[in-house]
Amino acid sequence: MRNQQATQLLFEMSRPGRRAHRLPELQGHAATLCESLPAEFKADQPPPLPELAEGDVVRHFTNLSTLNMSVDTHFYPLGSCTMKYNPKRNERLSSLPGLIDVHPLQDARSIQGLLEMMHELQHMLGEISGLRGVSLQPAAGAHGELTALLVAADYFADLGEDRKVVLTADSAHGTNPASAQMAGFSTKTVRSNAEGLVDIADLRAKLNEQTAVFMLTNPNTLGLFDSQIREITDLVHEHGALIYLDGANMNAILGITRPGDFGADLMHFNPHKTFSGPHGGGGPGAGPICVREFLADYLPGPVITRTEDGYELTTPERSIGRVRSFFGNVGILIRAYAYIRTYGPDGLRRVSEDAVLGANYLLSKVKHMLDVPHGDRCMHEFVASASRLKKEKHISAMDIAKRILDFGFHAPTVYFPLVVDEAVMIEPTETESKETLDAFAEALFRVVDETEEAIQQAPLSTAISRPDDVSAARKPILRWTPPQQ
């Protein structure tokens, strides 16, 4: 049975005079110091903080933590987010005293072991991507996008070319056009064709001497590998522009193909999605970028270089400057390093093969319940549609997402990508078992078979059922106010 009392707000649980610890009155010199503080710096009253016993606080936060779903407790098929299980050994390794106790201002000569690891990670990411210039600096995937676009901007400025337009696919993550705008570019959208791939005719029509970069995700957010990729990259390069690969879906192609080999010039990695790292909660994160050698001089500094005297932190000659403090989010990068070293080249390929196999297995079951507009095969994820269900039974993608919670599964991504009506985007990841995928398919079958009246009341098992999403986003209440006396 859940403890309902402990999940009240701390202010609501507060009782005057209740304490966790009772300290003795100040005496002697300490009391004198306190009394000597000027009156203008003293508050008239103590701050109105909640007054609680230690047990109240521990139960409060422990019970709140169990109200959420997590990768450690539930199947989490959140398409495009790659919510896979993270091996705990990577957490332990990143917490070893020789790593976690390093101070960012330590002299490089005293952290040679750590710098050697980061230098090897630069090399490994360069090998996996096929792009030899690597910076570990960016703090997240979207930050990597922005950093790479700043690299591209300085590159074209040095060429004396006035290129101000970034093209993005209509199935792109929303961060792509947002990053382009932040980097000072304007954006144009390239349509998808009926197969869910880049519409070559539309791309050709929008390419010109103003185009700086085409930002592309491959495999795309429909879970499809764009087989036209060589034609696309050749076309963009013929116009003097660059190809940016959004690396969010790299867990589908590790060890199978490399962005540099199919024509990408710049890309970022999401270590938490492709390798290992904490998910969600706003970080900490990392978004290392890889670029072709002719762009490496523009990378943000510092990068780790090896000399006869050891490993050093250096800044490339034409660097865009720093994009983050010190030399990146080392704790997250160590987790990625440990993951890559654990699996090795063959293991990384197996990771992608299992991710694709799991997604296709689940697709083969889901397509009998929901339409899958873009094919019978997919890469690491696929996008179903509740459009027909909505027309026939008035059951929407949101209704499905809410009801599946009652069966003990996190909801899939819904209403993204925008090119699919009533989208239900499912990514099982490589870490889920056949039994889990079968159980999810069975639950989904029961959900879509329910009546409109039953499903639209869901979820029935959660503390909160259906909040007003718009009001919650536009008018969040972030501060407790005491009830009126």
Side-chain angles (χ1 to χ4, degrees):
M1 298 294 290
R2 183 172 297 283
N3 181 344
Q4 303 292 343
Q5 180 192 16
T7 55
Q8 293 176 298
L9 296 179
L10 292 177
F11 283 100
E12 295 171 342
M13 296 166 59
S14 174
R15 293 294 180 272
R18 188 167 294 173
R19 293 287 185 275
H21 302 286
R22 295 182 185 279
L23 302 176
E25 292 289 334
L26 291 175
Q27 295 181 350
H29 184 60
T32 305
L33 281 176
C34 188
E35 291 170 358
S36 66
L37 289 173
E40 62 265 31
F41 297 126
K42 295 181 179 177
D44 295 330
Q45 298 291 332
L49 299 175
E51 300 176 69
L52 300 153
E54 181 176 325
D56 296 330
V57 178
V58 170
R59 285 179 185 168
H60 173 77
F61 286 108
T62 302
N63 277 281
L64 283 185
S65 72
T66 62
L67 292 176
N68 281 334
M69 288 186 170
S70 71
V71 173
D72 284 355
T73 56
H74 296 82
F75 177 41
Y76 217 109
L78 200 61
S80 196
C81 293
T82 316
M83 303 298 287
K84 64 182 181 182
Y85 175 78
N86 286 281
K88 295 295 178 281
R89 70 189 304 271
N90 301 325
E91 303 298 314
R92 291 195 299 272
L93 291 171
S94 65
S95 300
L96 290 173
L99 299 174
I100 201 170
D101 293 336
V102 169
H103 193 283
L105 292 177
Q106 265 183 246
D107 190 288
R109 288 171 296 183
S110 68
I111 52 172
Q112 285 293 296
L114 174 61
L115 293 183
E116 181 178 0
M117 289 172 59
M118 294 299 98
H119 186 265
E120 287 183 12
L121 180 60
Q122 288 179 175
H123 176 75
M124 290 189 287
L125 295 181
E127 177 63 27
I128 292 169
S129 65
L131 300 167
R132 297 298 179 185
V134 179
S135 170
L136 306 176
Q137 281 276 304
H143 194 206
E145 294 175 12
L146 173 63
T147 303
L149 290 172
L150 292 174
V151 167
D154 274 18
Y155 166 70
F156 285 120
D158 276 358
L159 292 180
E161 297 183 12
D162 186 26
R163 293 176 179 266
K164 298 295 186 185
V165 178
V166 167
L167 304 180
T168 61
D170 60 2
S171 60
H173 295 102
T175 54
N176 287 187
S179 297
Q181 292 282 344
M182 288 187 70
F185 295 99
S186 60
T187 58
K188 290 183 180 178
T189 303
V190 177
R191 290 196 304 266
S192 298
N193 61 22
E195 288 74 43
L197 308 177
V198 170
D199 185 323
I200 297 290
D202 194 46
L203 172 63
R204 193 186 302 275
K206 288 171 178 168
L207 277 170
N208 56 40
E209 69 281 359
Q210 292 288 308
T211 308
V213 178
F214 180 29
M215 301 182 78
L216 181 68
T217 309
N218 196 28
N220 65 20
T221 57
L222 292 167
L224 306 173
F225 188 89
D226 199 318
S227 56
Q228 315 165 107
I229 188 63
R230 178 51 71 183
E231 182 180 1
I232 292 169
T233 57
D234 287 347
L235 190 58
V236 170
H237 289 152
E238 286 172 11
H239 286 77
L242 301 174
I243 289 282
Y244 180 86
L245 184 96
D246 181 333
N249 294 339
M250 279 297 292
N251 65 316
I253 58 174
L254 287 172
I256 299 170
T257 186
R258 306 190 303 175
D261 293 345
F262 58 66
D265 301 299
L266 317 93
M267 69 165 291
H268 77 266
F269 281 95
N270 297 92
H272 67 292
K273 298 167 74 171
T274 306
F275 306 119
S276 182
H279 290 249
I289 61 171
C290 304
V291 302
R292 290 199 182 278
E293 291 183 351
F294 67 88
L295 296 168
D297 266 355
Y298 299 89
L299 287 172
V303 296
I304 295 102
T305 53
R306 184 176 184 179
T307 69
E308 291 182 354
D309 297 326
Y311 296 93
E312 296 180 355
L313 295 166
T314 59
T315 300
E317 185 178 351
R318 298 176 183 274
S319 174
I320 62 169
R322 281 185 176 271
V323 296
R324 192 191 182 285
S325 57
F326 305 114
F327 45 100
N329 198 337
V330 171
I332 300 302
L333 297 169
I334 292 172
R335 289 169 170 85
Y337 175 85
Y339 184 93
I340 296 170
R341 288 295 301 268
T342 299
Y343 281 97
D346 293 338
L348 291 180
R349 182 185 178 102
R350 181 75 178 273
V351 163
S352 288
E353 290 173 344
D354 286 352
V356 173
L357 177 64
N360 278 280
Y361 178 74
L362 198 52
L363 168 61
S364 71
K365 290 179 170 286
V366 171
K367 70 181 183 181
H368 298 295
M369 310 167 212
L370 297 171
D371 294 333
V372 181
H374 295 289
D376 285 339
R377 294 287 184 271
C378 64
M379 295 296 288
H380 63 304
E381 62 189 359
F382 62 93
V383 182
S385 171
S387 182
R388 183 166 53 85
L389 199 65
K390 187 175 183 181
K391 292 175 184 173
E392 295 176 354
K393 297 178 65 175
H394 305 292
I395 293 175
S396 68
M398 182 61 77
D399 293 330
I400 294 172
K402 294 292 186 183
R403 183 58 173 142
I404 203 75
L405 301 177
D406 288 329
F407 290 83
F409 298 102
H410 193 281
T413 297
V414 292
Y415 301 113
F416 180 80
L418 303 178
V419 293
V420 175
D421 186 38
E422 293 293 322
V424 180
M425 189 181 194
I426 299 173
E427 180 178 6
T429 83
E430 67 274 13
T431 60
E432 297 299 335
S433 68
K434 177 178 178 297
E435 291 76 17
T436 298
L437 303 186
D438 286 340
F440 176 76
E442 173 64 22
L444 190 61
F445 174 78
R446 292 173 62 183
V447 167
V448 300
D449 198 42
E450 290 184 322
T451 63
E452 169 189 355
E453 293 74 19
I455 197 171
Q456 290 182 348
Q457 301 301 316
L460 306 175
S461 59
T462 56
I464 298 174
S465 181
R466 294 208 183 198
D468 183 335
D469 295 341
V470 175
S471 294
R474 300 291 176 86
K475 300 176 182 177
I477 300 173
L478 303 177
R479 181 181 179 185
W480 178 80
T481 54
Q484 296 295 323
Q485 299 295 323

